[in-house]
Amino acid sequence: ATFPSSIEEDAGMTHDAHGRDLDRGSGEARTTVAGRPRDARRRRAAARLTGGLAVSVVLAGCAPGAVDTDTTESVTVVEDFFASLEAGRASDAAALTTIDLDEDLVDDDFYRASVARPTDARVVASSGSSAGASVTVEFTLDGVDGPVSLEVRTTRDGDRTTISDLGTADTIGAGQPVSGTLTVNGQVEYPAAELTPVTLLPGAYAVEYTDPTGLLEGLRRGSSFTAYVPDVVREDGGVAEGFAFTPTLRPDVEPGVEEAVEGLRAACEDEGLTGPSCPSELVENARETSRTEWFAEPGPEIRYVDGAYQATAEYTVLLWDDGDLPAEVRASYTGTVSRDAAGKVTFTRT
């Protein structure tokens, strides 16, 4: 009799009843002993096959869907926006945005008073999705050579797509102590001394600087200029700027102050360096017999202080008496600068 197959498998070999080894390569031993492992191999192969199918199904379930690149609604909103601008309907255009726009700047009458409004607008590029997009528009502005380009951003909130950014934020004003106001399109005023942040609709706006003292004007652009939104680059490479404004003294102001101070200095000499036309520093140090040499310091310095323009002209004065070495005195004239009724620059000592 043979040993039980379980022991045979554990022993890794078989014997006959007389203790003789059976041939490991014999068919009987191979059939008897290898039956179960062959079944196990089948089960493992089936398991591997089943597992492979399961993995394939899972991977198929994770396959990405189509990417959302639909910008149709955004393009439509932007086209409607520029159509409203061309028609002068600023309030309708503003209603297509979620931008915090000043009501005065989106008034229809104000916008129609602009130097130019966008015309012939066309979308040249768009990217994004139905949730929001970047839309590039080219349009024409009278007075500008070539098309003007502007990138507009949209956002979808619920079932409505609106313009969320025009890229036209700017500031109006000089941002320094000066008098006067800047008036846009003849209707909306801004103090020139401040920098007021604004966001305007695309277009070309008329700007007028008014200085009640009559002493200042705009540097390079003058006191009347056109502000372009957005900034545009001309064919010659020059930039047609927005509302950037730098005030400067009119050409006759500094010479007028120098002339007035020179008159005081001459009168001081005639008064023997002790009269009312002389600087106080000179009166305290000079004698009637003193000889003088005046050396002007750079200037005069003109500043806007407490609602008026003040000028200071400084000198180093050498006083020669009987000694070999002169006395050195620092002297100055300080006064208020203005224009009289005839338009002449005046200097009144303070």
Side-chain angles (χ1 to χ4, degrees):
T2 60
F3 289 99
S5 60
S6 60
I7 298 177
E8 296 172 74
E9 291 172 7
D10 290 342
M13 58 183 293
T14 57
H15 298 77
D16 62 8
H18 301 286
R20 293 192 299 269
D21 290 345
L22 293 175
D23 183 0
R24 294 179 183 269
S26 68
E28 181 181 354
R30 189 165 55 248
T31 301
T32 303
V33 177
R36 291 182 183 176
R38 182 178 299 144
D39 292 340
R41 284 196 298 271
R42 289 196 186 98
R43 287 194 297 271
R44 285 195 296 271
R48 284 196 297 270
L49 181 59
T50 304
L53 289 174
V55 170
S56 299
V57 171
V58 171
L59 291 176
C62 294
V67 178
D68 179 7
T69 59
D70 184 10
T71 61
T72 303
E73 190 167 349
S74 292
V75 168
T76 299
V77 170
V78 172
E79 289 175 339
D80 290 346
F81 174 82
F82 276 91
S84 296
L85 294 183
E86 183 168 354
R89 300 193 307 271
S91 55
D92 289 348
L96 296 173
T97 79
T98 53
I99 303 169
D100 186 15
L101 298 166
D102 188 327
E103 290 184 2
D104 291 336
L105 301 180
V106 294
D107 175 79
D108 289 349
D109 291 336
F110 167 83
Y111 190 65
R112 288 168 183 160
S114 300
V115 176
R117 302 193 299 268
T119 59
D120 304 322
R122 64 189 184 93
V123 173
V124 296
S126 66
S127 62
S129 67
S130 59
S134 172
V135 181
T136 301
V137 185
E138 287 186 352
F139 56 89
T140 300
L141 276 179
D142 287 346
V144 179
D145 300 325
V148 179
S149 180
L150 181 66
E151 182 180 354
V152 179
R153 296 190 179 277
T154 66
T155 302
R156 184 177 182 83
D157 184 9
D159 59 353
R160 185 168 182 254
T161 297
T162 57
I163 294 173
S164 55
D165 184 16
L166 284 171
T168 59
D170 205 337
T171 55
I172 299 178
Q176 56 181 288
V178 293
S179 56
T181 58
L182 289 164
T183 304
V184 183
N185 282 0
Q187 299 181 34
V188 183
E189 290 187 355
Y190 296 90
E194 300 178 7
L195 275 177
T196 305
V198 294
T199 298
L200 292 100
L201 300 174
Y205 296 83
V207 184
E208 180 78 24
Y209 171 62
T210 304
D211 173 27
T213 69
L215 300 176
L216 299 186
E217 65 183 3
L219 180 65
R220 296 189 308 274
R221 310 178 78 180
S223 296
S224 299
F225 59 93
T226 299
Y228 291 91
V229 179
D231 291 352
V232 297
V233 180
R234 301 186 183 277
E235 287 187 345
D236 61 3
V239 178
E241 299 174 328
F243 290 86
F245 176 73
T246 303
T248 188
L249 293 168
R250 291 181 179 272
D252 64 337
V253 175
E254 287 186 345
V257 173
E258 291 172 355
E259 180 182 353
V261 172
E262 180 62 26
L264 289 170
R265 193 171 70 81
C268 174
E269 293 280 359
D270 293 340
E271 295 164 359
L273 306 181
T274 59
S277 301
C278 298
S280 59
E281 303 93 335
L282 203 58
V283 173
E284 295 169 359
N285 291 277
R287 292 182 295 184
E288 291 184 4
T289 58
S290 297
R291 293 179 293 109
T292 60
E293 285 188 82
W294 298 70
F295 297 91
E297 300 294 333
E301 181 185 8
I302 302 175
R303 298 181 300 165
Y304 188 64
V305 180
D306 297 330
Y309 286 96
Q310 293 184 358
T312 299
E314 296 181 326
Y315 295 87
T316 297
V317 184
L318 299 183
L319 297 176
W320 297 86
D321 292 311
D322 295 334
D324 293 334
L325 298 176
E328 183 177 304
V329 177
R330 300 277 293 181
S332 64
Y333 286 102
T334 297
T336 301
V337 183
S338 60
R339 287 190 186 274
D340 61 19
K344 183 180 179 180
V345 175
T346 62
F347 176 80
T348 305
R349 291 184 68 188
T350 56

